[in-house]
Amino acid sequence: MAARTMQAGRCPTDELSLTNCAVVNEKDLQSGQHVTVKTTPTHKYVFTVKTHHTVAPGSIAFSLPQRKWAGLSIGQEVEVSNYNFDKTKQCIGAMTIEIDFLQKKSTDSSPYDSDKMAAEFIQQFNNQAFSVTQQLVFSFCDKLFGLVVKDIDAMDASILKGEPASGKKQQKIDVGLMVGNSQVIFEKAESSSLTLVGKAKTKEARQTIINPDWNFEKMGIGGLDKEFSDIFRRAFASRVFPPDIVEQMGCKHVKGILLFGPPGCGKTLMARQIGKMLNAREPKVVNGPEILNKYVGESEANIRKLFAEAEEEQKRLGANSGLHIIIFDELDAICKQRGTGASSTGVHDTVVNQLLSKIDGVEQLNNILVIGMTNRPDLIDDALMRPGRFEVKMEIGLPDEKGRVQILNIHTSKMRSFNLLAMDVNVVELAAETKNYSGAELEGLVRAAQSTAMNRHIKATSTVEVDMERAEKLQVTRADFMGSLNNDIKPAFGTNQEDYSSYIMNGIIKWGDPVTHVLDDGELLVQQTKNSDRTPLVAVLLEGPPHCGKTALAAKIAEDSQFPFIKICSPDKMIGHSEISKCQAIKKVFDDAYKSQLSCVVVDDIERLLDYVPIGPRFSNLVLQALLVLLKKPPPKGRKLLIIGTTSRKDVLQEMEMLDAFSTTIHIPNISTGEQLVDALELLGCFTDKERASIAHQLKGKRVWIGIKKLLVLIEMSLQMDQDYRVTKFLTLLRDEGADRSFLD
C-alpha cells in the first residue's frame, strides 16, 4: 500500500498489548503484515500488525512499551507504509535480549530456565519484526517481564537453503524477522535480582576470573609454582569455565582451601596474592584470635558477620553472585578439635559449629572461597577437613633449589635495577648454599647482607656518621652474603653445625682399619638413603664400649652426608624433662625432619634417653615405645630419612626388642693392640718421635683395650708433666685404666 496517515491510539486489551504487535482495523490492514511507522522525518519504526474490531478505521493502536520506544503520544498522526523483509538477509540468526521483572514489587528469587523461556518466546513471537533497542513485555510462568532487544545477528544464508553452516561471521542487522530456528539469548539486566539458569542465558565472553596482568614475580612469590597450579586446578578451574557447562556437569565449586606447612614458607603471602590474582572483590583477611570474644555468643556473631555480605548477594543474585574470599590466618586458634577445650564455656566448639554451618550447612553458600592457614594442621577439627569444606589441603613446604633462585631474584631485583648488587653475587650459588632455608629466612639473609654492606660506610668516630662519598658507591658483594650466611641467618629446619661440630672437635682419628670400615659403611648408607626409592627410611645403630668414639663417628657420617637437615637428638638437651615432654621433644625432632627432602637424625646415647639403670632394672617405657614407633615410621612420600643411633648397651636394647627397629648394626671396637695405639699417637702428634718410639717399644706385641676418647684424656693428662716423665706417666695411666696390664709387668 502507499504511505497513508493514521492516528496513534491506545492498545484496546491487555492481551493484545502482550503480542508486541500494532493493532489496526481489518478494513485498513491484514493480520501478520509488517509496516513502517514514520513518526518524524528521520525516525522510522517497523511493527507487525494484528487486527481487532474495536480499533476505529484510520487508527493504529500501540502498547505502552511500544509508545515509549517509538516516542509516540495518543492522537499523534503517523505515516504508515508497507514493509517487506528480504528473507535472505533479514532473518534473525541470534538475538540478545536484556530481561528484568516488569514490576519491581513482583520480584522473586526462584530460578527461571532460559532455554524454556527462549522456546516460549519464539513460539509467541514467530514471524514478527524486531528492531535493536525495541522494548516489549513478555509473559512467562504467569510473570510479566520487561525486555529490551540488545543485538541482532542475521541468519547464515546457507542454513536458509538447508545446507550446513558456512562458519562465516554473521552480519549485525538493525531490523530482523523472527523465524522458527532463530536463537534467542537472554541476558539479565545489570541491577536485576532475576536468577537465570540454562544455556540461553548468555553469549557474551565472560569476564575472566583471573586478572590478565597477574604475574608471579611481580607479586613477590617464588618457589610455589607447582602449589599455585594445583590450587588453580582444584579451586578455580570450575569458576573459569562457562557456568552452563558447570551446571550441566552438576559440578560444585570448591569452597575451602587449607594451606599448611612450616613457618615462613609463604602461606600468608600466598593467600594474600590469591585475592589479587582474582577479579573478585577485596578478600576479607581475619586473624583467628580476633574472632574470639569474652561475651557469650559474640564469637559466633563475628563468624556470621563475615558471611553476611555473601549470603545477602546469593539471595539477591543467585548463580550470578560474585566470588567472596575470606582468609583465616592462624586457623588453629579458633578451629581446635571439638571436645578438647579445658574451659567450661566450650566457646571453641560453638565457633567451629558456626563455621561448619556457614561453609557447608543446610543453607549452603556457593559464592564463597574460604582460605585457612596454619602450621599445626593436626590441631584442626576433623569435620572441617572433609570434602565440601576445606577440601583442598596444600602443603606449602620449604622451597627447592629452583624455588630459592626465584625467591632470591625477587628480593634482589630492586638492588639489581639500581646497580647496587656487585657483579660477583651469584644467585644460583647462594641458592645451592641455602639448603632448607624458608622464604622468610632467605629474605632475612638479603637484609643481613644489606646491613653488612651499609655498615662498611659508617664512620666509627665519637658520633655515628655515614661516609657520603663512599656511600654513593655502595654495593652489596658476595662476601656480604657469605658473611651473613655463616654468622647471621640459620635455617630453623636446617643443619646446626655447632650442634654436631662439638662432637668432632678433635677430628676423627683413623687409628686402624675398623674406623675406616665404619666410615665406609656409613657412606654406603648415606648413598642408599639418597638414591634408593625402595628404602626411604634407613636406620643404623652404632654400638660399642663406652668412650670408643661412637657419637663422633655418627656426627662425622651425618656431616659428610651433606644432607640439608641434620639434627642430633641428645639426652643432654632433655635433662629434667618429664617422660611426656621428653617424648614430645623427640617427636618434634622427627617431625621437623619430615619437612625436609633429605634428613639425617642422630639419636645419641639411647640408653640414657630411655632412663635405663641396671639397678632394678628400670627404664622409661613411654620413651621406649615412642622411639620404637619413630624408628619404624617411614617419612612422607618424596622425603628420605637416615637415622643413626648410638649405644654402649647393645644387650639391653636386645632385651627391649629395640635392635629389630634398626636396619643394620655396626660395631665400633676399642683400640686393642699396641700397634694401633702407637698409630693413634702418631696421628695425634702429641709426643715427640723419641717418646713415641719408647712407648712403641714398651707396647710391642702387647694387648690393650681402650677407647679413643679415653686415650685422648690420658694423653692430655700426661702432657701436663715435665718432658722427662711424660712417657712414664702415660704408661702408668694406661695400666691404671684397667687395660690388660700384663704388658707392663
Side-chain angles (χ1 to χ4, degrees):
M1 76 170 187
R4 55 183 285 189
T5 304
M6 297 180 85
Q7 202 171 31
R10 193 179 274 112
C11 195
T13 68
D14 286 347
E15 204 177 311
L16 282 169
S17 67
L18 294 176
T19 60
N20 191 39
C21 291
V23 189
V24 293
N25 190 286
E26 59 262 26
K27 290 178 184 170
D28 292 329
L29 291 160
Q30 293 170 350
S31 270
Q33 263 186 281
H34 311 296
V35 295
T36 304
V37 175
K38 193 173 183 181
T39 57
T40 68
T42 52
H43 290 90
K44 289 180 189 175
Y45 300 91
V46 177
F47 290 98
T48 305
V49 295
K50 260 191 184 331
T51 58
H52 197 266
H53 63 88
T54 58
V55 179
S59 288
I60 181 163
F62 299 98
S63 67
L64 179 63
Q66 288 172 328
R67 295 202 303 274
K68 258 188 180 172
W69 170 53
L72 287 159
S73 56
I74 306 292
Q76 184 181 338
E77 290 193 342
V78 290
E79 195 178 293
V80 180
S81 55
N82 254 348
Y83 185 86
N84 294 312
F85 279 99
D86 180 348
K87 295 272 179 91
T88 59
K89 293 177 183 171
Q90 283 187 290
C91 284
I92 295 173
M95 181 161 78
T96 308
I97 300 173
E98 188 179 87
I99 183 167
D100 194 3
F101 292 108
L102 186 64
Q103 293 170 315
K104 292 288 179 252
K105 64 178 183 227
S106 67
T107 59
D108 69 2
S109 57
S110 53
Y112 288 91
D113 189 327
S114 56
D115 299 321
K116 285 183 184 167
M117 213 179 245
E120 180 104 357
F121 184 91
I122 291 166
Q123 219 171 350
Q124 272 189 43
F125 302 115
N126 195 13
N127 219 27
Q128 280 197 25
F130 284 93
S131 309
V132 175
T133 72
Q134 184 172 342
Q135 296 176 22
L136 64 149
V137 179
F138 172 49
S139 172
F140 178 73
C141 292
D142 296 329
K143 275 261 191 255
L144 293 179
F145 297 94
L147 311 183
V148 180
V149 178
K150 286 293 202 188
D151 188 39
I152 302 175
D153 287 347
M155 191 172 280
D156 191 337
S158 45
I159 293 177
L160 294 166
K161 295 174 195 162
E163 297 166 7
S166 65
K168 287 182 197 165
K169 193 176 178 201
Q170 293 313 305
Q171 285 288 141
K172 300 271 180 209
I173 52 175
D174 290 327
V175 182
L177 183 69
M178 174 67 65
V179 290
N181 56 350
S182 297
Q183 187 192 357
V184 176
I185 297 133
F186 287 105
E187 271 185 2
K188 184 175 79 69
E190 232 174 76
S191 59
S192 172
S193 57
L194 174 68
T195 307
L196 289 179
V197 294
K199 275 201 287 192
K201 67 181 174 190
T202 180
K203 81 169 186 185
E204 294 292 308
R206 291 174 70 247
Q207 183 195 20
T208 173
I209 193 168
I210 304 297
N211 230 335
D213 56 354
W214 189 78
N215 170 304
F216 274 118
E217 299 229 345
K218 270 191 215 158
M219 292 292 183
I221 300 175
L224 295 174
D225 303 21
K226 182 186 176 295
E227 285 83 352
F228 249 113
S229 62
D230 283 356
I231 286 177
F232 184 84
R233 176 176 61 83
R234 291 297 313 281
F236 300 121
S238 65
R239 296 181 191 273
V240 173
F241 247 70
D244 45 288
I245 296 176
V246 175
E247 223 168 77
Q248 289 163 23
M249 289 175 81
C251 170
K252 279 186 183 170
H253 299 309
V254 164
K255 293 181 204 155
I257 302 172
L258 182 70
L259 306 178
F260 66 94
C265 286
K267 298 184 292 297
T268 309
L269 176 68
M270 193 172 192
R272 217 180 289 131
Q273 303 305 2
I274 284 173
K276 289 186 186 171
M277 172 180 106
L278 299 174
N279 272 333
R281 53 184 53 71
E282 191 68 24
K284 291 179 183 170
V285 182
V286 191
N287 290 322
E290 286 175 7
I291 292 290
L292 302 176
N293 192 301
K294 66 179 178 178
Y295 295 109
V296 175
E298 278 298 308
S299 303
E300 298 88 306
N302 288 341
I303 293 275
R304 288 196 292 277
K305 278 177 204 159
L306 290 174
F307 291 89
E309 203 180 312
E311 238 170 4
E312 185 271 327
E313 196 172 308
Q314 170 124 336
K315 277 181 189 157
R316 196 161 46 83
L317 303 178
N320 299 298
S321 168
L323 178 63
H324 292 252
I325 299 174
I326 300 166
I327 296 170
F328 281 98
D329 206 357
E330 308 304 339
L331 186 70
D332 50 283
I334 54 166
C335 293
K336 288 190 174 72
Q337 292 278 358
R338 284 173 290 179
T340 57
S343 71
S344 57
T345 58
V347 66
H348 280 101
D349 296 6
T350 53
V351 169
V352 174
N353 294 340
Q354 184 69 72
L355 193 58
L356 290 174
S357 65
K358 282 293 171 202
I359 297 176
D360 190 30
V362 178
E363 289 185 4
Q364 57 181 14
L365 298 167
N366 205 26
N367 59 345
I368 53 161
L369 178 65
V370 183
I371 303 172
M373 288 164 289
T374 179
N375 44 27
R376 294 294 305 277
D378 50 306
L379 295 179
I380 292 171
D381 192 86
D382 295 338
L384 274 167
M385 308 294 266
R386 74 153 175 77
R389 288 161 187 168
F390 287 106
E391 67 178 270
V392 178
K393 291 175 269 299
M394 184 64 58
E395 182 176 4
I396 309 296
L398 297 164
D400 57 9
E401 196 165 321
K402 183 174 160 232
R404 293 196 294 273
V405 170
Q406 282 182 5
I407 293 166
L408 286 164
N409 274 328
I410 286 163
H411 291 306
T412 56
S413 61
K414 205 159 190 183
M415 289 195 286
R416 201 177 288 111
S417 63
F418 287 102
N419 201 26
L420 295 173
L421 199 66
M423 296 297 287
D424 62 350
V425 176
N426 184 346
V427 170
V428 177
E429 179 199 12
L430 281 174
E433 289 289 325
T434 49
K435 288 179 182 144
N436 271 25
Y437 275 66
S438 68
E441 284 158 351
L442 289 169
E443 189 183 355
L445 175 70
V446 174
R447 269 203 305 270
Q450 289 166 339
S451 304
T452 312
M454 287 174 190
N455 201 45
R456 286 202 304 273
H457 299 279
I458 292 173
K459 292 177 189 169
T461 55
S462 54
T463 57
V464 177
E465 291 174 27
V466 176
D467 186 345
M468 289 310 292
E469 284 178 28
R470 290 176 61 203
E472 296 292 324
K473 298 171 188 168
L474 169 72
Q475 279 205 321
V476 183
T477 64
R478 178 180 179 276
D480 296 327
F481 276 100
M482 289 306 169
S484 302
L485 198 62
N486 296 327
N487 305 319
D488 297 327
I489 309 290
K490 297 288 177 199
F493 299 98
T495 303
N496 190 351
Q497 204 159 356
E498 292 82 30
D499 203 9
Y500 59 77
S501 56
S502 61
Y503 294 107
I504 40 177
M505 58 186 178
N506 297 311
I508 298 294
I509 316 300
K510 294 185 183 174
W511 48 260
D513 289 345
V515 182
T516 313
H517 290 326
V518 171
L519 290 171
D520 290 347
D521 287 350
E523 174 60 25
L524 280 175
L525 291 164
V526 166
Q527 291 306 322
Q528 180 186 342
T529 311
K530 262 187 198 170
N531 305 325
S532 168
D533 290 329
R534 292 183 181 179
T535 53
L537 174 68
V538 176
V540 57
L541 180 67
L542 305 185
E543 61 83 19
H547 311 303
C548 65
K550 299 179 294 296
T551 306
L553 285 165
K556 181 67 177 167
I557 292 166
E559 184 185 41
D560 290 349
S561 72
Q562 293 288 299
F563 282 5
F565 181 93
I566 299 170
K567 256 301 191 308
I568 295 186
C569 181
S570 169
D572 61 6
K573 291 175 188 151
M574 299 182 199
I575 296 168
H577 280 211
S578 67
E579 281 188 294
I580 291 173
S581 61
K582 197 181 275 192
C583 288
Q584 286 170 340
I586 296 168
K587 185 176 181 294
K588 186 178 185 312
V589 171
F590 279 84
D591 283 346
D592 289 353
Y594 298 145
K595 287 171 183 157
S596 173
Q597 301 290 323
L598 271 176
S599 310
C600 176
V601 173
V602 178
V603 185
D604 191 28
D605 215 351
I606 292 173
E607 64 274 18
R608 285 290 68 74
L609 279 173
L610 296 174
D611 298 331
Y612 170 77
V613 283
I615 306 163
R618 283 175 35 199
F619 65 93
S620 166
N621 189 43
L622 208 61
V623 178
L624 171 66
Q625 298 306 327
L627 274 174
L628 285 173
V629 170
L630 292 167
L631 288 169
K632 291 179 181 175
K633 181 187 173 186
K637 194 178 176 190
R639 314 282 160 88
K640 297 185 172 183
L641 176 61
L642 170 64
I643 302 169
I644 307 171
T646 71
T647 182
S648 305
R649 296 299 303 266
K650 182 185 175 186
D651 54 324
V652 171
L653 299 195
Q654 177 79 60
E655 281 181 45
M656 292 176 179
E657 298 184 347
M658 199 175 189
L659 287 187
D660 300 338
F662 289 94
S663 325
T664 182
T665 305
I666 298 175
H667 178 66
I668 316 286
N670 268 346
I671 295 172
S672 56
T673 67
E675 286 75 17
Q676 287 174 341
L677 196 143
V678 172
D679 287 346
L681 292 177
E682 194 173 335
L683 286 166
L684 286 162
C686 300
F687 294 106
T688 61
D689 292 348
K690 190 177 173 187
E691 287 169 333
R692 277 203 304 277
S694 167
I695 293 167
H697 178 69
Q698 293 276 5
L699 299 181
K700 196 170 182 187
K702 308 287 185 187
R703 290 195 62 75
V704 295
W705 188 249
I706 189 167
I708 186 74
K709 199 170 168 188
K710 184 62 96 174
L711 181 64
L712 278 168
V713 175
L714 301 187
I715 291 167
E716 288 304 313
M717 214 168 153
S718 311
L719 292 176
Q720 307 312 310
M721 301 286 290
D722 288 341
Q723 199 150 0
D724 299 342
Y725 303 106
R726 291 200 311 202
V727 173
T728 314
K729 183 64 180 171
F730 174 68
L731 292 170
T732 309
L733 288 169
L734 196 62
R735 184 186 62 207
D736 291 347
E737 181 51 35
D740 184 352
R741 297 177 198 174
S742 60
F743 68 85
L744 290 177
D745 292 342

